[in-house]
């Protein structure tokens, strides 16, 4: 149902919308996407966005390899994914159109820069005919806009060079989108003021373009309707936008601050984990000591050495790097030192598809070490959760003197979502256990509660001691090859990790406490599963969602929950790794939803799987 | 190593008196664990000299950390009554880098072997030296894999017959000193376990140097490579086979110092001073501060039978250390921005209020 | 029942006996142990033996750390372990007595060199009192022999130095043992002839010692009885003694020979795998190209490079080394090249106990790689089986173009047992599939049967192509980031490995085809499980044994076998790794027998566990 | 590389004519895959020169193998119509060693980067060079991590600001040539992608050398480290910043060759020949066959601003290669024992007959 707007156009209420901006790497799509996202958030919508830029090496302008896109989804209720399919596509050139069109909803709106469809442009995008004319777009509402020309006119007397003016084009596109979703320009203009302080003429030109786009949409009657997405009821507070990698970096930094120890982050660059390194390198005022190591082995060893010396030692990487860290993680298990290993997963095996997302390192994180070598394994569920799970990783590592592997993935790393900024005083307390007195100190004498050994760093008078990778004699920590002692130590190391189950939150069922299907997920699949189960619950289906953030150890209460559901659907973007862990420990009727395509679940894929399971027997 | 003065201060001394640096003795550095090297192993003498040296450095005992990889040599930390970390094969320099960055005030020592340091661990060794992390690296070179019972190592001589090379190796040996020099080590020295005095003085010089100190210690493996260095020092030694480097002194060696080393077209030249007294002033003069790497490279390549093997300090120059620079960046940023405040950081950038 | 022997002593028939020789590293215990073993074999017994020498660095003479032992078990029927507990201990010094006594059967015979029990000797062994006098040995039949003196007398006029003569002592001890078990000296004297050809006086001295020991036992009436172990009914053929590591090396060499390709064995020394490297380095006349690499990463990469170039590329290591090879193994998975990785397991985690035995690298072998990265996993059951499994590993690797991990362990590596020498013509045929014609060649076009891609090595005209670790386009092998293609390739790689199940032997049940308990084992536990289940079957229990040599993929018929047994007892020297794999795939009532002490199962431990399971419900 | 004559032989040519070496052209070495480096990347010029060079080597196309690690540079093999293996990060020299040992008749080329080869891959690079495996190693040095979008590398200049060093790096750069020389490389050279002629001649010399040829190729990363080498070659070049090494020729450089390099106490000395004609004969004479490492070490350390950067061959000496020695041990043993017989081997040692 739509109401009449002033100038006779209709304003249609929608619950939710998905928009994608796409153009050449040089076109500034990430910038305007981010601005639209902030604006939508500031004006009260729930949002989630995902940038996808060209994989690795920069491709020539105008080619398919060079397309850079930014998709966001916003709505009047909780939005947990960037959206299955855009309703609006803004394409700055033929390549962008070609790459993105397949995902656009049929009947969706396609806004293109018609000035960028010259024969040579078309050729670069491998178009034989002009898609604006050959019927390619019949199923869509095509809105051709002479963006280049409009932008030129709008910025004519800005005093900038042609090239500089050309660069304002993206704001013209943004202006159109803002009109379409009935958004005010003011906040954006203010942001520009700040951003381009030092270059007022650039500011002016961008503002002119922005207005030009907005007004053009308004006057040229491009659209029969414009859309309104009502405010969402979000928890009150101050918000910012974060990506998963930003949140990981923030989490590590804040965690170290709360322990009162310096953070030593040792890492070797690798896609998609490098941003954590970049981010932390920028905050040395927090006594963050960043080591760019010569390789992942050195990075993990340096982090472990730092932990031995009393700092918060953290290392971050992705699959191929994790492979190289396993031996050092094993050393952390034997020496029972705190160590946090961030693994931002990417699609494998081997070098695989470095920029694509997958959850296939779970079993490696659990078992990818020789010998009986138990460690804590955690997984962040959302971009914002990366922050909290980093705190949790440091909490468990230091409290239990153990390596902790924290899993994220390429999708989480790049997804941006509004993050409710916590007041640091409300964050978990990471007080470190106090040291024993020198005359009480025995290197492997454990806290009866946690089974953790004392953390006594070099520099502490009177407690000089030696540790290493050879089996330790119980309590003394001396080297021991004794059979009985080995049995005991293997058991103690296992018991220590298992015992952590008593110190983590119980698993939560979202939806009916019992029913037909319980969808169990972990990590970045949270958004799609939450959306799919949420929808079906609203449709009255007996479908619930349980999301695991602690994988080793698992929450204590799973054995109570699983029996309450007819079937347990384990959904993960791998071939069934969590399923295997669950089957080993629980006897429920497990079904699987697996996707190994280097892409996250779509909401509809999860729905379909649940329906399929519901329709069984 | 740690700034000596900073840690001499005894006011921060704790109750247990023996932590006060002035009172430390050699015994204070013996861990009491049974030393488990083969009878006659060269490692014993190195252990003894280190335990003799540390009390003289004026560093509080709790500030010493010994880090090792895997090998006979790498058992070293277990025998030291200091903090110690027996890590994994080849990785000690990386672990030590983490330790030093976490606490630059520690005196960090790396003990490694020719296999641990120059086979599996080459990468970390080189990058540690290149970064000039302020640690002391002792490479026990017995030219064999001892712990694994006698395979050849990267420093084994060409053609050597071992368990894994029954027909003799087909690999040219690496020269540890050359590698350390190429990585632009700020302190590079060679000594030998069978000459306690020279060993001691070299270790002391290494300890006093700021930045990475790399010391190759020729060490006899009694069981799997016995006698490897007998011609250099000891009963069967041949004075023609070794030359001791002294900063600022001409390169003389041999019985009565009657031989010397000169250079022509940058190639070493043997001079017999008994027959050619005149050429004395032609002799090369050792300069461990030389900015150009040529002299050190020339000396590092000297080897019997044609030339003597050089013992002593090849290079000793001052450069800022990695850990110093790391901390100074932190301090300068704190200077600019002030101590970081977590809430400011969380609230940085574009933010907005909801509800 | 005993019969009278000539000189009035009794000859007692026993089915089976276990003897241990123990002394100082320098005492030559390994030598006489081996000779006793050969002699027992040659005279028709079944045998199994295990040396245990000091862990790593050589300890001072006479100390506990320096004790070197050799235990063997021989009998008139199949012998599959070195025996739970020695019936006879020959101890050359107090240290040997102290280390070995705890394992000797009470009532067993303890023969000591009484000349070696001086106060200083006792002190080195941490004996406060002389165990020969203080009642320590009351539960045993102590036979003190003045070995040093007897040896001295026997070798007096050998013309050898005192030191050299001292070295003959071990043969004196052997002589006593041979008399005790009623063995002829002749074969041994012949062996000496050969062995000491070049030094006749040494030969003479050793022979004199040997006779002296034998005669002393005979005349000095040391023993009331001597023992006879009747011939065993063994498969006819020519036999030799092999250890697991020798058999692995032989297997790799022979396998390569049968493919007609050179063997490139690239390895980095590590206990307990180094002997494979040493052994292969000795056989260059078989065109064996041994590379001692700078580390395990290089070793695995060199082996893989060799495979790419058309050779049989094999690398061998133990746990810590396997950790470093995982990334390269992943590359082998992606490039689908043949690669065999030998993993001689040792006790972990981390550096652990390098000389001790454990089976805790199974899950790492299965899942210790990032991404979905399936590989073949095999495990050898006995020392001799190491030979055949090496052949099997090469067969599967080359036929299916896949990495194969072959697991052995420290126990198998060192166990020596008689090996029936096969006629090479009877060994499996390892013919390589023929290459496609140049115009037919597409790098990733698969054989419809095996799903293997063609193996075309550089140097082949007209088929130049490129491979690598990035995801491959189906068929062409070009780099592809396409989602659908990735899904397909992940599935194809998995299907290829799964399909191998049709090309491996079905699992065999030893014992009743159905019953109360099926004991499932893998790897080196074969001997103990076979012995325990064999005994219980003879006692009429419904207990069977199934031993897995192929672990990925598993034999096809397990799902038929498991239901036929009330309970399935999974026995392994780890914390339950195979059990986890089985639980994920089969629903039987699984019980576990786990031992993580760095030591193999004793027969009685397996028996006890089976009894415990039998006694349930 | 492979013995040229051995593979010139066309009798072993197969049906498809273009395999006959005489007919090969540059096009034959283009794989036809779309070359995906950034516009303006220095890698294009290296690819072009290699494709131009290979047809002239008289080696059959199927005998070429290009092996790389990971990095922009390491995409190289995909663009070559030869056998190729794009391996994992830093490991190409190890893979190449396996390839060469499996089939010494192949011409094996390693393409690596400053991060691939000198950060994660240092160990393999050094040991490959030390063993003198007969492979050609091309290290594309753009002094940055390109593929991962612009972090500093071990060859980045001290203080460089990058994504991972916002306040500037605190690490002294490694000098690839120094490392290769210290590992006793038998062929060590430096060239630059922007000088096609010098690039071509250097690559050809490397290809003709038996044993490991190590070539550092200065290469511009247009996107993340643009202009790094502009002063050496090209529009903005300064002739005082570079010196071309020519075997047997005095070390002259600068406009009109009016400058030269001499030595005092083994330290380099700049000589201005315009003002001091006389000192011409003092100039050092380049000797790439010099047995002592001193000259090469001196040259490797030359760098602007004080000295010119040396381009050309630092060392080119003959030594037996690893693969030759490996095969000769096999042949000599076969000579002694005859071709191994499996049944004899199985029946070796003590054996016995049962029933
Ligand atoms: C990852 C790994 N690979 C291999 C080994 C086996 N290993 C232990 S020490 C060693 C070499 C020791 O030689 P060196 O460093 O010269 O020390 P040495 O014993 O001679 O003092 C090897 C290969 C190991 N422990 N870990
Ligand atoms: C084990 C592993 N660690 C890290 C990476 C990520 N990575 C790929 S290339 C590269 C560095 C590339 O730099 P360089 O070798 O100089 O090549 P360039 O791109 O500059 O040509 C890194 C860190 C990886 N692919 N694998
Ligand atoms: S093996 Fe060699 S190096 Fe090792 S302890 Fe014995 S003598 Fe020393
Ligand atoms: S990033 Fe740099 S090195 Fe990589 S392709 Fe682009 S220009 Fe070349
Ligand atoms: Mg050594
Ligand atoms: Mg680079």
């Amino acid at each position: 149902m739509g109401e009449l707007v002033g100038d006779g156009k209709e304003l249609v209420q929608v619950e939710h919308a998905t928009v994608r901006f796409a153009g050449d790497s040089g076109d500034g799509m990430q910038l305007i996407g981010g601005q639209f996202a902030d604006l939508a958030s500031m004006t009260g919508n729930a949002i989630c966005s995902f940038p996808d830029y060209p994989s690795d090496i920069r491709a020539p302008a105008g080619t398919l390899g060079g397309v850079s896109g930014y998709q966001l989804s916003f709505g009047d209720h909780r939005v947990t994914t960037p959206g299955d399919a855009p309703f609006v596509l803004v394409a700055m050139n033929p390549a962008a159109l070609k790459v993105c069109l397949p995902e656009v909803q049929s009947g969706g709106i396609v806004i293109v820069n018609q000035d960028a469809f010259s024969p040579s442009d078309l050729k670069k995008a491998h178009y034989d005919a002009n898609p604006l004319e050959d019927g390619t777009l019949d199923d869509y509402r095509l809105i051709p806009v002479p963006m280049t020309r409009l932008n030129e006119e709008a910025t004519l007397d800005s005093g900038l060079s042609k090239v500089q003016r050309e660069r304002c084009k993206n704001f013209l596109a943004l202006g159109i989108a803002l009109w379409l979703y009935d958004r005010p320009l003011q906040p954006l203009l203010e942001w520009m003021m700040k951003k381009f302080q030092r270059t007022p003429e650039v500011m002016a030109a961008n503002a002119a373009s922005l207005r030009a786009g907005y007004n053009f949409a308004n006057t040229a009657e491009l659209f029969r309707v414009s859309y309104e997405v009502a405010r969402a009821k979000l928890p009150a507070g101050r918000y910012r936008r974060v990506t998963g990698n930003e949140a990981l970096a923030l989490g590590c930094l804040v965690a170290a601050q709360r322990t009162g120890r310096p953070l030593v982050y040792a890492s070797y660059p690798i896609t998609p984990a490098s941003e954590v390194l970049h981010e932390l390198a920028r905050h040395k005022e927090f006594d963050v000591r960043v080591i760019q190591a010569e390789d992942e082995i050195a990075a993990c060893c340096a982090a472990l050495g730092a932990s031995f010396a009393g700092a918060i030692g953290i290392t971050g990487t992705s699959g191929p790097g994790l492979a190289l860290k396993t031996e050092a993680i094993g050393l952390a298990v034997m020496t029972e030192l705190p160590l946090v290993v961030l693994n931002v997963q990417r699609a494998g095996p081997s070098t695989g598809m470095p920029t694509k997302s997958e959850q296939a390192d779970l079993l490696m994180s659990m078992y990818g070490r020789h010998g009986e070598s138990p460690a804590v394994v955690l997984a962040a569920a959302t971009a914002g959760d990366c922050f909290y799970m980093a705190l949790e990783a440091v909490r468990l590592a230091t409290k239990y003197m153990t390596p902790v592997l924290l899993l994220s993935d390429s999708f989480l790393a790049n997804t941006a979502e509004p993050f409710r900024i916590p007041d640091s005083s409300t964050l978990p307390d990471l007080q470190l256990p106090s040291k024993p007195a020198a005359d009480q100190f025995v290197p492997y004498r454990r806290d009866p509660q946690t089974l953790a050994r004392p953390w006594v760093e070099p520099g502490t008078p009177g407690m000089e001691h030696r540790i290493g990778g050879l089996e330790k004699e119980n309590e003394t920590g001396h080297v021991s090859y004794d059979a009985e002692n080995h049995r005991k130590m293997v058991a103690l190391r296992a018991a220590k990790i298992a015992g952590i189950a008593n110190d983590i939150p119980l698993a939560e069922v979202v939806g009916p406490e019992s029913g037909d299907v319980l969808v169990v997920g972990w990590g970045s699949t949270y958004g799609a599963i939450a959306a799919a189960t949420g929808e079906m619950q609203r449709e009255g289906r007996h479908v619930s969602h349980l999301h695991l953030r602690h994988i080793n150890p698992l929450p204590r209460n799973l054995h109570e929950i699983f029996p309450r559901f007819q079937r347990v659907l384990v959904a993960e973007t791998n071939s069934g790794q969590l399923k295997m862990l669950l089957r080993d420990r629980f006897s429920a009727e497990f079904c699987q939803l697996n996707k190994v395509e280097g892409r996250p679940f779509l909401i509809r894929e999860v729905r379909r799987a649940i329906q399929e399971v519901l329709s069984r027997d | 190593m740690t700034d000596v003065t900073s840690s001499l201060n005894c006011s921060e001394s704790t109750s247990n008196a023996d932590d006060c640096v002035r009172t430390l003795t050699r015994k204070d550095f013996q861990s009491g664990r049974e030393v488990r090297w083969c009878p006659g192993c060269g490692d014993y003498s190195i252990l003894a000299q280190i335990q003799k040296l540390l009390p003289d450095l004026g560093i509080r005992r709790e500030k010493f950390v010994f880090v090792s990889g895997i090998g006979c040599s790498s058992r070293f930390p277990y025998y030291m009554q200091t903090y110690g970390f027996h890590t994994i094969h080849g990785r000690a320099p990386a672990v030590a880098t983490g330790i030093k960055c976490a606490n630059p005030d520690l005196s960090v020592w790396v003990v490694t072997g020719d296999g641990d340091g120059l086979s599996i661990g080459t990468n970390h060794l080189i990058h540690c030296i290149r970064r000039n992390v302020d640690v002391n690296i002792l490479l026990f070179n017995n030219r064999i894999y001892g712990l694994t019972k006698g395979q050849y190592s990267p420093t084994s001589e060409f053609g050597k017959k071992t368990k894994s090379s029954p027909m003799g190796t087909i690999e040219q040996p690496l020269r540890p000193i050359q590698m350390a020099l190429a990585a632009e080590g700020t302190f590079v020295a060679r000594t030998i376990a069978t000459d306690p005095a020279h060993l001691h003085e070299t270790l002391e010089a290494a300890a006093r140097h700021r930045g990475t100190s790399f010391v190759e210690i020729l060490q006899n493996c009694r069981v799997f490579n016995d006698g490897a260095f007998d011609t250099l020092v000891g009963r069967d030694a041949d004075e023609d086979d070794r030359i001791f480097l002294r900063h600022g002194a001409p390169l003389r060696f041999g019985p009565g110092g009657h031989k010397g080393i000169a250079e022509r077209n940058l190639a070493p030249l043997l001079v017999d001073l008994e027959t050619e007294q005149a050429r004395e002033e032609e002799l090369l003069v050792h300069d461990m501060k030389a900015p150009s790497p040529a002299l050190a490279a020339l000396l590092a390549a000297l080897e019997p039978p044609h030339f003597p093997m050089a013992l002593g300090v090849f290079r000793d120059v001052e450069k800022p250390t990695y850990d110093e620079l790391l901390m100074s960046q932190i301090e300068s940023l704190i200077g600019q921005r002030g101590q970081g405040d977590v809430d400011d950081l969380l609230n940085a950038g574009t933010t907005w209020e909801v509800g």
Side-chain angles (χ1 to χ4, degrees), chain A residues 194-218:
Chain A
K194 272 210 238 70
K195 170 100 178 169
F196 301 104
Q197 249 166 353
R198 275 192 232 64
T199 52
E201 54 295 330
V202 175
M203 200 289 284
N206 284 326
S209 263
L210 180 72
R211 288 208 186 75
Y214 190 90
N215 298 335
F216 182 77
N218 191 16

Side-chain angles (χ1 to χ4, degrees), chain A residues 53-61 63 65 126 268-271 274 277-279 281-282 284 290-297 324 350-351 354:
Chain A
Y53 22 68
S55 53
D56 34 41
I57 296 166
R58 180 179 298 182
T63 61
H126 303 312
Y268 184 69
I270 185 167
T271 307
S274 303
L277 172 68
H278 305 162
E279 190 61 26
R282 293 177 44 242
K284 295 200 165 65
V290 168
I291 301 172
Q292 180 176 313
E294 57 270 27
D295 63 19
E296 285 86 353
I297 296 173
L324 293 167
S350 195
T351 312

Side-chain angles (χ1 to χ4, degrees), chain A residues 458-462 464, chain B residues 12 19 60-65 83 106:
Chain A
T460 314
E464 294 84 357
Chain B
E12 37 163 303
D19 279 340
R60 306 173 56 81
R61 186 175 67 174
E62 65 270 17
K63 293 197 171 176
F64 287 103
V65 185
Y83 285 93
L106 297 172

Side-chain angles (χ1 to χ4, degrees), chain A residues 85-266:
Chain A
F87 174 65
V88 175
L89 169 67
V90 179
M92 306 300 285
N93 67 21
L97 182 66
K98 181 148 205 173
V99 168
C100 304
L101 192 62
E103 293 173 27
V104 178
Q105 298 175 29
S106 66
I109 298 171
V110 176
I111 303 166
V112 301
N113 173 11
Q114 66 187 64
D115 299 339
F117 281 69
S118 75
S120 75
D121 296 321
L122 293 172
K123 198 155 156 305
K124 288 206 210 102
H126 303 312
Y127 270 124
D128 313 330
N130 185 339
L132 307 186
E133 296 154 6
D134 70 354
T136 305
L137 297 165
D138 289 354
D139 297 353
Y140 309 87
R141 268 188 286 155
L142 172 63
I143 315 284
V145 180
M147 297 191 191
T148 311
R149 188 170 50 74
L150 291 171
N151 177 65
E152 229 170 275
E153 292 163 358
T155 59
L156 211 46
D157 40 23
S158 64
L160 296 179
S161 73
K162 195 161 181 355
V163 184
Q164 288 175 301
R165 286 162 51 205
E166 168 72 12
R167 288 222 191 82
C168 306
K169 204 163 74 272
N170 52 338
F171 283 100
L172 190 124
L174 179 57
I176 297 173
L178 290 177
W179 181 89
L180 183 60
Y181 283 100
D182 192 43
R183 302 286 157 156
L185 297 184
Q186 203 43 41
L188 205 57
L189 294 166
E190 282 157 15
W191 169 83
M192 282 185 180
M193 291 292 215
K194 272 210 238 70
K195 170 100 178 169
F196 301 104
Q197 249 166 353
R198 275 192 232 64
T199 52
E201 54 295 330
V202 175
M203 200 289 284
N206 284 326
S209 263
L210 180 72
R211 288 208 186 75
Y214 190 90
N215 298 335
F216 182 77
N218 191 16
T219 55
E221 312 212 332
L222 293 180
F223 309 96
R224 275 180 288 87
V225 300
S226 72
Y227 300 89
E228 183 180 30
V229 179
R231 304 180 81 79
K233 278 160 283 335
L234 297 170
R238 175 157 292 284
Y239 282 74
R240 68 181 284 186
R241 185 157 46 97
V242 293
T243 63
N245 275 351
E246 286 162 0
L248 269 183
L250 281 173
C252 294
L253 185 154
V254 171
Q257 287 279 307
R258 295 187 66 76
T259 62
R261 299 291 181 93
L263 169 60
V264 174
Y265 184 76

Side-chain angles (χ1 to χ4, degrees), chain B residues 116-161:
Chain B
D116 190 63
L118 284 173
S119 192
I120 194 169
T122 316
N123 196 21
H124 314 303
L125 185 75
I126 285 172
H127 285 279
C128 181
I129 294 172
R130 166 176 83 88
R131 295 185 181 113
N132 199 31
V133 182
D134 184 16
V135 300
N136 307 305
I137 301 176
L138 312 182
L139 188 144
F140 294 15
N141 184 5
N142 54 13
R143 306 187 122 197
I144 198 80
Y145 289 173
L147 190 66
T148 46
K149 300 185 164 13
Q151 301 83 9
Y152 65 93
S153 91
T155 59
S156 298
E157 49 288 21
F158 183 90
K160 187 181 192 66
K161 287 191 165 60

